[in-house]
Amino acid sequence: MRPIRLPEAPSGFSGLPEIFDSGGVYGAIKRAIIIGNGFAGSENQSVGLVRALGLSRHHSLYRVTRPRGGINEWLHWVPLSLHKKFDYFMKVMPLFSQTTGLSDVLEADANHIAKIARETFDKDGPLLVVASGRDTISVSSSIKRLAPENVFVVQIQHPRSHLNRFDMVITPRHDYYPLTPRAQEQIPWFLRRWITPREPPGKNVVLTVGALHQVDSAALRSAASAWHDELAPLPKPLLVVNVGGPTSNCPYGADLAKQLATMLRNILWSCGSIRISFSRRTPEKVSNILVREFSGNQKVYIWDGEDRNPHMGHLAWADAFVITADSVSMLSEACSTGKPVYVIGAERCTWKFADFQKTLQERGVARPFTGKEDISESWSYSPLNDTTEAANRVNMALAQRGWSIHR
């Protein structure tokens, strides 16, 4: 099995003596493996952490993939192993012969990766394993069980139970919302034993405000250069509007799109330019309203999803952001730039996602979008720095084992 080689990101001088460039230095971590689940939001967090640790040139991606197509789209909450057995059954039944899975995608095999870690340990040192997402839990925990002396396993996003299966768990603070008095009041007493997590974070848990990502100063400088010719000449201030998609805990539809359109019309006078982007989760009924409202406005550009994705360029060149409340990832990235971030739809969020919105506002990194703002008036805050802070905690934990990252 050959891993998928990820694109290389720029890295600077490591500052280490040349002796460390040769193999066989015990305790020096020189490579990483990412266990992905095929979803950009999860894999982006793992890549961001590896990048912050200085291993962007020395990591590979393996994937845990669920069957897709047909009835499989309704089975995302079934345990992965059971889902695959059910998919196999459907394939051998003539009635379901048109249903296809992702059998052509290379699978993350815990035994194979653990074997690599054991057999290359003396020559290449320990192996860093970073995983994110529910479907990766069984693989990453198995790697730790099979090669405990040869790997350091980081699980991003809360695995819900048995956190001692990992060397480190990195998860947002709002994942522990169920333990708060307010949450306990919301949960019927007969359901409380089934709601996770059930214990406060242990020593191997690192809490963040939002999601990890790849947006650091180097990435923003690179994006600013790459998008200079297109974005630099635009009239200022440049307002970037990022629209995600409704979720069970942040529901919305055409009503929010109409509200957003009205608010944008109200603040249009204070903007030099507006650029609107939709995600793959954005319903057509939402995007169509905004396209219909602004497609003829010379101040407004709407990304059609066909040309190259301007997301990083927007982060680099925007003067302010308006973002729908559903996307923890988009909010985390924007709030790491230090630029004004306005949120629309936060009042619709429930459960732990309402707690996340509350935290952003209490820290002063985001404000509710009211449609009465003057976008030319900026404001400042201490940017979120979750990815770097998480990387520092990884380095501290490695040092306790006598290990370190070789950059």
Side-chain angles (χ1 to χ4, degrees), residues 66-364:
R66 280 184 179 268
R68 293 183 183 174
I71 197 173
N72 287 303
E73 302 305 317
W74 297 90
L75 299 176
H76 288 165
W77 297 105
V78 175
L80 182 62
S81 58
L82 182 59
H83 189 175
K84 289 187 174 182
K85 291 178 181 178
F86 185 66
D87 180 63
Y88 174 79
F89 172 76
M90 290 193 297
K91 286 178 180 178
V92 300
M93 297 292 289
L95 179 62
F96 300 104
S97 59
Q98 293 183 348
T99 302
T100 59
L102 292 178
S103 57
D104 57 329
V105 177
L106 293 175
E107 286 288 317
D109 185 303
N111 290 296
H112 173 73
I113 296 172
K115 182 179 180 182
I116 291 175
R118 292 192 302 267
E119 293 182 351
T120 62
F121 182 79
D122 289 340
K123 178 178 181 295
D124 297 321
L127 178 65
L128 176 67
V129 177
V130 181
S132 180
R134 181 169 59 93
D135 287 343
T136 67
I137 293 172
S138 61
V139 174
S140 60
S141 60
S142 294
I143 293 171
K144 177 62 180 176
R145 175 175 53 83
L146 294 168
E149 303 300 322
N150 313 109
V151 298
F152 189 91
V153 177
V154 179
Q155 185 70 37
I156 301 173
Q157 297 180 338
H158 203 286
R160 301 304 168 200
S161 63
H162 305 294
L163 274 61
N164 58 354
R165 293 174 291 173
F166 313 96
D167 293 294
M168 180 173 288
V169 172
I170 301 174
T171 192
R173 288 182 176 87
H174 60 257
D175 272 353
Y176 281 90
Y177 176 72
L179 296 181
T180 64
R182 178 173 174 79
Q184 290 293 306
E185 292 175 0
Q186 296 174 285
I187 306 171
W189 66 267
F190 57 88
L191 291 179
R192 289 175 187 170
R193 61 173 298 186
W194 305 106
I195 303 297
T196 58
R198 289 184 286 271
E199 298 178 351
K203 293 182 179 179
N204 68 329
V205 177
V206 174
L207 297 180
T208 62
V209 175
L212 305 188
H213 51 78
Q214 300 183 61
V215 181
D216 55 23
S217 57
L220 290 174
R221 285 195 299 270
S222 177
S225 175
W227 286 90
H228 177 274
D229 292 348
E230 182 171 342
L231 300 183
L234 294 178
K236 297 288 189 175
L238 168 59
L239 176 66
V240 167
V241 181
N242 289 332
V243 181
T247 65
S248 59
N249 287 295
C250 283
Y252 61 85
D255 56 337
L256 185 73
K258 293 175 182 178
Q259 179 186 1
L260 176 58
T262 299
M263 290 179 172
L264 290 176
R265 282 199 307 269
N266 291 341
I267 56 92
L268 191 60
W269 65 271
S270 69
C271 300
S273 309
I274 295 179
R275 289 175 68 97
I276 301 174
S277 291
F278 304 112
S279 79
R280 286 173 292 183
R281 298 186 298 108
T282 308
E284 284 191 11
K285 63 182 179 181
V286 170
S287 58
N288 287 345
I289 290 172
L290 293 170
V291 170
R292 187 164 57 248
E293 182 68 32
F294 295 107
S295 58
N297 194 306
Q298 294 185 350
K299 268 192 174 185
V300 181
Y301 167 86
I302 301 177
W303 181 53
D304 59 8
E306 298 297 327
D307 298 328
R308 62 174 178 156
N309 192 329
H311 181 62
M312 287 301 299
H314 285 173
L315 288 170
W317 284 101
D319 295 298
F321 302 91
V322 171
I323 301 176
T324 53
D326 58 277
S327 180
V328 175
S329 295
M330 288 194 299
L331 285 168
S332 299
E333 290 173 339
C335 291
S336 71
T337 65
K339 302 172 184 179
V341 178
Y342 299 99
V343 183
I344 183 168
E347 71 282 356
R348 300 168 183 245
C349 294
T350 60
W351 195 237
K352 64 180 183 179
F353 297 99
D355 190 59
F356 171 62
Q357 297 295 335
K358 179 183 176 186
T359 298
L360 293 184
Q361 293 186 29
E362 288 178 344
R363 292 175 66 100

